[in-house]
Amino acid sequence: MERLLRYSLEHERVIRLMLLTEGSLTQVNARIIAYDAEKIEFITTRSPRPQTALRADILAADFRRGDDGQV
């Protein structure tokens, strides 16, 4: 997961995240704008407003459809 977060941050690419938010499972396509050991800040493709999530709430991360990670 660390590799995908760094990939999104360094190359300004969108990745897919599975998050547990308020007891429900949510999938978002997001671009990471900052992260540390406890939380991440991201912008989704649906809203330009920055959002924050705890690292513990990230269940999975993957490349966006059509993106194979080649830069």
Side-chain angles (χ1 to χ4, degrees), residues 5-6 8-9 13 20 23-24 27 31-32 38-39 41 57 60-62 66-67:
L5 295 175
R6 191 171 355 117
S8 178
L9 180 66
R13 303 290 290 264
L20 186 62
S24 64
Q27 177 178 308
R31 184 174 54 86
I32 307 301
E38 296 179 14
K39 63 181 178 173
E41 291 185 43
D57 291 343
D62 193 11
D67 188 357

Side-chain angles (χ1 to χ4, degrees), residues 4-71:
L4 286 163
L5 295 175
R6 191 171 355 117
Y7 168 78
S8 178
L9 180 66
E10 291 176 357
H11 300 289
E12 297 183 1
R13 303 290 290 264
V14 174
I15 60 173
R16 183 173 43 190
L17 299 172
M18 295 295 290
L19 303 168
L20 186 62
T21 55
E22 300 169 2
S24 64
L25 188 61
T26 306
Q27 177 178 308
V28 295
N29 289 319
R31 184 174 54 86
I32 307 301
I33 54 176
Y35 73 93
D36 59 23
E38 296 179 14
K39 63 181 178 173
I40 65 167
E41 291 185 43
F42 59 93
I43 297 174
T44 66
T45 56
R46 292 186 176 200
S47 173
R49 191 181 68 202
Q51 298 179 32
T52 303
L54 295 175
R55 291 277 298 257
D57 291 343
I58 303 173
L59 302 177
D62 193 11
F63 291 108
R64 184 179 184 188
R65 183 182 301 185
D67 188 357
D68 59 1
Q70 301 295 320
V71 181

